[in-house]
Amino acid sequence: MTDAAAPSPSAQALCGIRVLDLSRVLAGPWATQALGDLGAEVIKIEKPGEGDDTRGWGPPWLADGEGNPTRESAYFLAANRNKRSVTIDMARPEGQALIHALARESDVLVENFKVGGLKRYGLDYDSLAALNPRLIYCSITGFGQDGPEAGRAGYDFMIQGMSGLMSVTGSPETEPQKVGVALVDILTGLNATIAILAALEQRHRSGRGQRIDIALFDVAVASLANQALNFLVGGTAPRRLGNAHPNIVPYQAFETADGHLILAVGNDAQFARFCRLADLAVLAQDARYATNRERVAHRDTLVPLIAEALKRQSTAEWLAMLDTAGIPAGPINTIAQAFAEPQALARGLAMNLPHPLGGTASGVRSPLRLADSPMDGATAPPWLGQHTDEVLATRLGLSPAEREALRASGII
């Protein structure tokens, strides 16, 4: 295990940390992928013959070297790079013994089973902490380990609704909308990663691991940020404003002569510059609009004036002028256009990794950039059971005959 020798300055940040990943779908795998990106060894435990549910969530599918579709979905590829896949049937005593042995040699375990779901397999926190007191055990659930809803399953879409997020997403004229990606799962994975890193740091001082309880519902409510405080401080539930901002004006999407753009005026000086640029200088002198406080109060009269002015020129013309004037603005890209942005190309956000089934696996580069901890050398998401023999041989010392017996009985 891992606190012994300090890694060299050029080593990956989490070099030497071993993560046992019992999670599937998105929130848990997103957390363990982040840990893998940072250099941790991530051993992903999957059910023999089936694996992570998301392996089958296609199309689209990964193509092999001859262009034929494999059984690896793009969804699975999104959250499982830098991992080693080991198939073990945890419902069998022999499989539980293998996971116990791996847990003894691990620093972190991540799971997203329903509350109490792993206790019957002897894979709950108390059982594994008795085997390895230094183990950091992160549980990700819909509603947490306690409270009246603790036993319920939680899914991103329903949590977006329950948390209030959908009540402030979408236009006033349409039904409430979910975010276009499973954002609660993603944010939950990131919060789990933060908690795990904090627990690792505390373990340096205490020598002990601990239990981490992360709930999708908690994360979603906490992530309401200013909207949550708008309610708690103001006493009125925020309403849907479409692409407008509840606390800043003008800060929304506007139509141009040939499309749309986002205008994000963040302070009064920017507003005055924008007014001069748009031949609306008189508005910056108007007491109703001179300060953000007054612009928020009078948005209903101000926004139509800005909207009419922005229709006079094309999106490209406006963006060039706004950039020159130092006024934050941007296009509304498709995902294809986002990857074609010069900045995306310069930062190498899209990447291709050689895949063991042939061909290449597309991916999105981690946004984490650590100057002294290289994050190159990423590996493609594994095929199901790709590393079973390797891990059981090198980590647990099982002989070929022992592994073959386990495989013959369906345990691996």
Side-chain angles (χ1 to χ4, degrees):
M1 293 195 337
T2 56
D3 293 294
S8 67
S10 61
Q12 290 182 289
L14 296 183
C15 178
I17 296 295
R18 185 172 302 142
V19 178
L20 192 57
D21 185 3
L22 304 187
S23 69
R24 64 268 192 232
V25 186
L26 189 54
W30 199 263
T32 53
Q33 177 171 261
L35 298 172
D37 286 341
L38 290 166
E41 176 191 0
V42 180
I43 299 174
K44 183 178 179 70
I45 304 300
E46 302 187 74
K47 187 174 182 179
E50 298 181 19
D52 191 312
D53 297 349
T54 63
R55 287 184 181 274
W57 287 10
W61 307 100
L62 172 74
D64 64 18
E66 298 179 353
N68 301 311
T70 67
R71 298 181 63 185
E72 302 294 299
S73 73
Y75 198 116
F76 177 81
L77 299 179
N80 288 285
R81 66 174 171 264
N82 291 322
K83 300 181 185 181
R84 306 166 81 189
S85 173
V86 174
T87 52
I88 297 177
D89 186 352
M90 68 173 62
R92 306 271 293 276
E94 299 90 340
Q96 294 156 22
L98 293 175
I99 299 175
H100 285 165
L102 289 170
R104 286 191 189 95
E105 303 300 322
S106 296
D107 301 283
V108 177
L109 183 147
V110 178
E111 59 91 6
N112 60 352
F113 285 76
K114 290 178 66 174
V115 171
L118 289 177
K119 187 175 181 61
R120 58 179 169 168
Y121 304 132
L123 300 175
D124 55 300
Y125 171 70
D126 289 337
S127 298
L128 295 186
L131 298 175
N132 179 4
R134 292 169 54 80
L135 183 67
I136 293 162
Y137 188 109
C138 179
S139 294
I140 298 174
T141 58
F143 298 94
Q145 299 297 308
D146 53 27
E149 308 289 344
R152 292 183 63 188
Y155 297 90
D156 179 279
F157 189 8
M158 61 179 281
I159 298 295
Q160 287 196 37
M162 290 184 67
S163 67
L165 178 59
M166 287 177 60
S167 76
V168 294
T169 306
S171 72
E173 295 78 24
T174 62
E175 66 181 5
Q177 294 288 310
K178 68 178 180 67
V179 182
V181 296
L183 189 62
V184 173
D185 277 340
I186 298 298
L187 292 172
T188 299
L190 294 176
N191 276 275
T193 303
I194 293 168
I196 289 167
L197 295 177
L200 284 168
E201 175 59 27
Q202 184 171 353
R203 194 182 69 175
H204 286 312
R205 301 189 299 272
S206 70
R208 300 189 305 275
Q210 61 180 293
R211 176 75 176 272
I212 297 172
D213 173 10
I214 301 285
L216 272 70
F217 184 70
D218 296 358
V219 169
V221 173
S223 299
L224 293 175
N226 60 297
Q227 291 284 43
L229 268 294
N230 287 343
F231 165 68
L232 293 174
V233 173
T236 301
R239 58 190 177 92
R240 295 193 302 282
L241 294 174
N243 288 316
H245 195 289
N247 304 110
I248 310 172
V249 174
Y251 197 102
Q252 64 186 77
F254 287 96
E255 186 179 354
T256 66
D258 65 348
H260 294 82
L261 61 74
I262 292 170
L263 180 65
V265 171
N267 56 52
D268 298 337
Q270 290 175 1
F271 180 69
R273 292 201 303 275
F274 167 75
C275 289
R276 290 193 296 271
L277 187 68
D279 294 327
L280 297 172
V282 65
L283 297 183
Q285 308 303 318
D286 191 318
R288 294 173 298 169
Y289 311 131
T291 66
N292 182 70
R293 180 182 185 130
E294 292 303 317
R295 290 195 295 276
V296 171
H298 296 95
R299 74 166 74 227
D300 292 344
T301 56
L302 174 60
V303 168
L305 298 174
I306 296 173
E308 189 62 32
L310 288 173
K311 292 178 183 177
R312 297 172 191 156
Q313 299 186 73
S314 70
T315 298
E317 290 170 329
W318 274 119
L319 290 178
M321 292 188 296
L322 291 165
D323 182 60
T324 300
I327 300 167
I332 301 176
N333 284 334
T334 64
I335 293 176
Q337 290 169 328
F339 278 111
E341 281 278 357
Q343 185 67 16
L345 296 173
R347 300 280 282 181
L349 299 189
M351 62 180 183
N352 290 297
L353 301 172
H355 194 276
L357 295 181
T360 58
S362 297
V364 181
R365 189 174 302 278
S366 169
L368 305 178
R369 311 273 176 131
L370 284 70
D372 294 333
S373 305
M375 295 179 64
D376 49 7
T379 60
W383 51 265
L384 181 61
Q386 179 182 344
H387 303 95
T388 301
D389 283 299
E390 176 188 344
V391 169
L392 296 185
T394 60
R395 298 304 179 200
L396 303 186
L398 298 188
S399 68
E402 290 172 316
R403 300 196 304 272
E404 184 54 38
L406 290 170
R407 183 169 286 109
S409 61
I411 294 166
I412 64 173

